[in-house]
Amino acid sequence: MWQEADNKLTRTFEFDDFIQAFGFMTKVAFLAEKMDHHPNWSNVYNKVTIELTTHDAGNTVTDRDKNLAEAIDKLV
């Protein structure tokens, strides 16, 4: 579940292994590029943590972040 705090949406996704986590990141990368809205994220083995904020709006959560979060949820 996405959490909104400190002017960003954050969620950690957990997968069976690194390959699944990396595959998910690849799908998110294509989606983010298509939506022209790119996440801050990190990956450690089977976990991917994504942070969404809109830099152009002063680093706050906007509809662009919410739309991307919704689209990312559809990938899992």
Side-chain angles (χ1 to χ4, degrees):
M1 195 68 156
W2 291 93
Q3 302 293 320
E4 186 171 347
D6 300 323
N7 294 319
K8 58 189 165 193
L9 288 176
T10 304
R11 181 170 177 189
T12 298
F13 296 85
E14 188 169 341
F15 299 92
D16 290 337
D17 55 32
F18 177 74
I19 295 297
Q20 285 185 1
F22 194 84
F24 170 73
M25 290 179 74
T26 301
K27 291 178 188 177
V28 171
F30 281 105
L31 179 64
E33 186 66 16
K34 183 178 178 181
M35 295 179 77
D36 192 31
H37 193 54
H38 305 92
N40 293 324
W41 58 4
S42 65
N43 165 241
V44 177
Y45 182 57
N46 68 331
K47 293 181 182 174
V48 177
T49 300
I50 299 176
E51 295 179 347
L52 302 174
T53 189
T54 302
H55 305 292
D56 295 345
N59 292 319
T60 61
V61 175
T62 67
D63 286 342
R64 292 186 78 197
D65 303 300
K66 293 174 184 175
N67 292 338
L68 181 52
E70 184 178 314
I72 290 169
D73 284 344
K74 291 178 182 177
L75 297 176
V76 289

